[in-house]
Amino acid sequence: MKMNLLSIVCIVLFIGLNGYILRADEQVPFPQVIVVENDWPPYFFGETHEQLPGFARELLQKCIPSAGYVAKFQFYPLKRMYSYLQSGEIDIALFSHKADRDSFVLYGRESLFSSGYRPVIRSETDIRIDSLDDFDALRLGHLAGLKYSPSFLEYIDRRQKAGSLITTTTGDSALRMLLEGIIDVFVDTQDTVLWRAKKMGVLNRIKIVDYDIKSSDYFMAVAKKTKRIQAPQEFLDTFDRCLAEMKKNGEYTDIAKKYTIQAGRP
């Protein structure tokens, strides 16, 4: 009887101890890293309320924990974002490669997505664009703030000075002007236009012209002065392996479809 009682006590203590350990483990989260969240649908929704988290955000939420961290997403104005990345107050942003960023960030090698500026026209039109000169005869819309490529931005400036440019401040209004026949064409990032058109229920009324104004691949970029990531290069390598595996097993494509993104394009 004593032996049985002792055994029961040991079992209870064992279960209780293990239960405590499990609960303790669950209460210790991964250390946080600060990730810049832009207002750039469908990759990030920034301060805009959407049911979906955003394509890039989903990828980051999947793969950052594989490197032993959890992402805290924060929105910053552009100038403050750069300042905080340079000082290490922010840990992570998504960037295309530019020489002026090399001094303060380290890049991953596996691209999260490619983003390309393309002309957008109404689906029933037979407009053909193979060069900048082909815009001359068209009523051109311009979304204020977009930088495009240097050559197209120079073209936009010329059209503006000539008084033959129609400027708007939102992507939704650019789509509406296009569909109402106020403009014949405007240029924006392809995935953003498709996302907005889907939300507005007009996806079948627009067409993306296969003329590349500018395309860029976007990568994980870690601040060189990060205060939270202990081994930045190891972190990037682990993240890249996770992302590559998602592309291989089809999870990446499944997520992309939710955002009208065609994986592997442009």
Side-chain angles (χ1 to χ4, degrees):
M1 184 68 180
K2 290 182 180 179
M3 190 65 178
N4 288 340
L5 181 60
L6 179 61
S7 298
I8 292 171
V9 171
C10 288
I11 291 169
V12 170
L13 287 172
F14 178 81
I15 293 173
L17 180 60
N18 277 275
Y20 172 78
I21 291 171
L22 287 173
R23 286 194 299 273
D25 285 346
E26 289 170 356
Q27 291 171 359
V28 179
F30 288 146
Q32 284 187 339
V33 289
I34 307 299
V35 183
V36 176
E37 182 170 31
N38 300 313
D39 188 8
W40 186 15
Y43 311 116
F44 288 113
F45 293 119
E47 298 180 317
T48 304
H49 297 292
E50 291 283 348
Q51 290 183 342
L52 292 172
F55 179 61
R57 181 166 177 156
E58 284 204 45
L59 299 179
L60 294 168
Q61 287 174 327
K62 289 280 186 180
C63 286
I64 286 178
S66 71
Y69 295 86
V70 64
K72 180 180 180 181
F73 295 91
Q74 293 187 190
F75 179 87
Y76 293 97
L78 190 61
K79 288 184 179 179
R80 193 186 308 170
M81 177 193 74
Y82 277 102
S83 174
Y84 282 179
L85 280 168
Q86 289 166 353
S87 67
E89 295 298 319
I90 296 173
D91 304 295
I92 293 169
L94 299 189
F95 281 145
S96 58
H97 280 280
K98 285 189 178 180
D100 60 356
R101 296 171 182 154
D102 292 344
S103 63
F104 61 91
V105 295
L106 296 169
Y107 287 97
R109 297 183 179 88
E110 191 75 31
S111 68
L112 282 89
F113 57 87
S114 295
S115 181
Y117 283 104
R118 301 285 193 275
V120 187
I121 60 175
R122 292 182 297 280
S123 58
E124 73 272 13
T125 61
D126 57 357
I127 293 171
R128 184 180 178 89
I129 300 175
D130 296 308
S131 69
L132 288 180
D133 292 341
D134 292 331
F135 287 97
D136 289 349
L138 303 174
R139 293 170 296 172
L140 177 61
H142 163 55
L143 185 54
L146 293 188
K147 299 300 183 182
Y148 312 110
S149 65
S151 59
F152 191 72
L153 189 57
E154 183 180 338
Y155 180 82
I156 286 288
D157 289 340
R158 290 204 307 268
R159 290 286 298 259
Q160 189 170 33
K161 290 174 182 176
S164 61
L165 184 71
I166 301 173
T167 301
T168 183
T169 57
T170 70
D172 286 358
S173 60
L175 272 172
R176 284 193 290 268
M177 287 195 299
L178 178 72
L179 296 175
E180 291 169 7
I182 298 171
I183 58 176
D184 299 314
V185 62
F186 71 95
V187 172
D188 199 352
T189 51
Q190 176 169 330
D191 292 328
T192 300
V193 171
L194 293 175
W195 172 260
R196 287 185 176 130
K198 181 181 179 181
K199 292 278 289 182
M200 294 170 64
V202 297
L203 198 54
N204 64 331
R205 297 181 60 193
I206 66 164
K207 184 165 54 178
I208 307 293
V209 178
D210 191 22
Y211 174 67
D212 185 22
I213 300 293
K214 179 187 177 183
S215 290
S216 299
D217 294 328
Y218 284 78
F219 301 85
M220 164 77 75
V222 172
K224 288 184 177 180
K225 292 185 178 180
T226 174
K227 296 174 172 60
R228 299 172 187 85
I229 300 174
Q230 299 303 311
Q233 190 57 60
E234 182 179 335
F235 172 88
L236 286 168
D237 292 343
T238 303
F239 180 89
D240 282 347
R241 285 193 295 271
C242 173
L243 186 57
E245 179 59 29
M246 288 182 68
K247 292 178 179 179
K248 183 179 179 181
N249 65 24
E251 189 174 5
Y252 179 95
T253 301
D254 290 341
I255 295 173
K257 287 177 181 177
K258 294 190 294 184
Y259 297 94
T260 66
I261 293 172
Q262 299 172 25
R265 188 272 323 121

